Amino acid sequence: MAVETPVREPVSPPRATARGLLGSWDLLVLVALVLVVVVGTLTIDGVGNPRFYRFVVLEAIPIALIALPMTLIVITGEIDLSVASTVGLTCSVMGKLWQSGLTSLPALIAISLVLGAVLGAVNGLFVTVFGLPSLAVTIGTLALYRGLAYVVLGDKAVADYPVEWTRDMIAPIPGTVIPWFVLVVAALAVLFGVLLHATPIGRGLYAIGNNAEASAYSGIAVMRTKFWLFVATGVVAALAGVFWTFRFASARADNADGLELSVVAAVLLGGVSIFGGRGGLLGVVAAVALLGTLRNALQLADVPANALTIVTGTLLIASVVGPNVVRMARGRLRRRPPEERTQP
């Protein structure tokens, strides 16, 4: 006898309002960010210095860039673990093209973005056309793309780019210490935020994450949507590779090695459910800022690198458990009679 598969109740997309934010996991992440800033400023020398926040932003930019499309992918119930290897392969190709005599910056950037689209499309094809699980596919392409990066460039570094390219990439906004590239991240955050929270496409993403089969029956192009999300993630990861190359003035095959852990930690810590169907971009952006501030503050406090990895792993576990605990507590509160809620 066939066993009926339980279906989760549809979850409405979170609304970007103050009322919707109050009491949510997003608010808890924002409070944690404020606490880290305040405690760090009072207890660690240098945290209050504006230059500290410049380095926080520089470190957070690649993570924030990739976390934006990754949020949409995870909301649909998928994941892309190949993003850091996409960054590394992009850096290697840029280095190889520069060595081969391609000295046009617009051409280098355009080729890099096209490469990212191709790499993302490969992931999307395996997931949507062949029906393979995205976790297995992107673990495979994580290794494949990183291996190709070493094939392209070997273990050497290309570091003879024009000084003005690297200087301009991290130049501050006039009158501040914040690099101008953060405006690119902000523009993409607005774009993805509007797409997710204010369009039928975004509502479709939540529907896919809750029940892909029912979404397909209701007319949503599930496979096509997922395919283009993987392509978008590849393009944005390639853009992060361009920034990475010029920020450090070095193209290497091992650039951004392990960055996928920070990206996934930020997405999950931001309240996006690993099972899909829940989450929003506000919490993810706050989580990126929290992780970046915490890591840099601990580095100033001379915390060993191994301990920083432990902190990231602990936060990753907390990001999976925490939102579920909050939702369970709020659900129980709603089920209590009104007179009991007012009792101490």
Side-chain angles (χ1 to χ4, degrees):
M1 183 177 64
V3 178
E4 184 178 352
T5 304
V7 177
R8 288 182 291 166
E9 295 182 1
V11 179
S12 300
R15 298 186 181 275
T17 62
R19 184 177 180 181
L21 179 63
L22 186 62
S24 69
W25 180 258
D26 295 353
L27 181 59
L28 294 178
V29 176
L30 288 169
V31 170
L33 173 60
V34 172
L35 287 175
V36 168
V37 171
V38 172
V39 173
T41 301
L42 295 176
T43 59
I44 302 174
D45 291 337
V47 171
N49 192 310
R51 289 180 58 84
F52 169 80
Y53 293 101
R54 172 175 171 79
F55 285 108
V56 169
V57 172
L58 284 172
E59 182 178 303
I61 282 174
I63 299 172
L65 278 173
I66 303 172
L68 295 175
M70 181 73 81
T71 298
L72 275 60
I73 281 187
V74 176
I75 284 175
T76 64
E78 305 292 350
I79 197 167
D80 186 350
L81 297 179
S82 69
V83 287
S85 297
T86 298
V87 173
L89 182 52
T90 301
C91 295
S92 292
V93 170
M94 286 183 63
K96 191 66 174 180
L97 291 174
W98 174 258
Q99 281 187 330
S100 301
L102 182 60
T103 59
S104 168
L105 179 59
L108 285 172
I109 294 176
I111 292 173
S112 297
L113 297 183
V114 171
L115 172 64
V118 171
L119 299 178
V122 170
N123 289 332
L125 285 172
F126 277 114
V127 172
T128 61
V129 175
F130 297 104
L132 300 176
S134 57
L135 178 63
V137 168
T138 58
I139 286 177
T141 52
L142 178 153
L144 173 63
Y145 296 165
R146 186 66 69 179
L148 290 175
Y150 279 100
V151 170
V152 170
L153 202 59
D155 57 359
K156 57 188 177 183
V158 177
D160 58 343
Y161 297 103
V163 175
E164 57 269 20
W165 287 10
T166 58
R167 183 188 62 228
D168 293 346
M169 185 62 68
I170 62 174
I173 300 171
T176 72
V177 297
I178 304 300
W180 73 268
F181 203 87
V182 76
L183 299 177
V184 177
V185 179
L188 287 174
V190 171
L191 175 64
F192 281 105
V194 170
L195 179 68
L196 180 62
H197 296 290
T199 68
I201 295 175
R203 291 190 288 274
L205 298 181
Y206 286 102
I208 292 170
N210 280 289
N211 192 318
E213 185 176 354
S215 299
Y217 279 120
S218 67
I220 297 174
V222 174
M223 295 306 175
R224 185 172 63 189
T225 299
K226 289 184 177 183
F227 173 80
W228 286 111
L229 285 179
F230 279 104
V231 172
T233 303
V235 172
V236 176
L239 179 61
V242 172
F243 175 81
W244 193 289
T245 298
F246 292 134
R247 181 206 167 182
F248 294 104
S250 176
R252 295 175 54 93
D254 62 351
N255 278 1
D257 191 21
L259 188 70
E260 67 278 348
L261 175 61
S262 297
V263 173
V264 173
V267 171
L268 299 185
L269 184 60
V272 179
S273 172
I274 191 64
F275 303 108
R278 295 179 184 271
L281 277 177
L282 178 60
V284 173
V285 173
V288 171
L290 172 60
L291 288 172
T293 303
L294 183 60
R295 277 189 71 89
N296 280 270
L298 292 176
Q299 286 175 342
L300 281 180
D302 294 326
V303 174
N306 290 339
L308 295 178
T309 304
I310 293 173
V311 170
T312 302
T314 302
L315 289 174
L316 184 57
I317 295 174
S319 67
V320 176
V321 176
N324 291 319
V325 172
V326 171
R327 281 194 290 269
M328 289 172 59
R330 294 174 68 185
R332 290 180 179 178
L333 182 62
R334 291 194 193 100
R335 289 193 294 269
R336 290 173 59 189
E339 59 274 11
E340 292 185 13
R341 299 182 194 179
T342 59
Q343 294 179 1

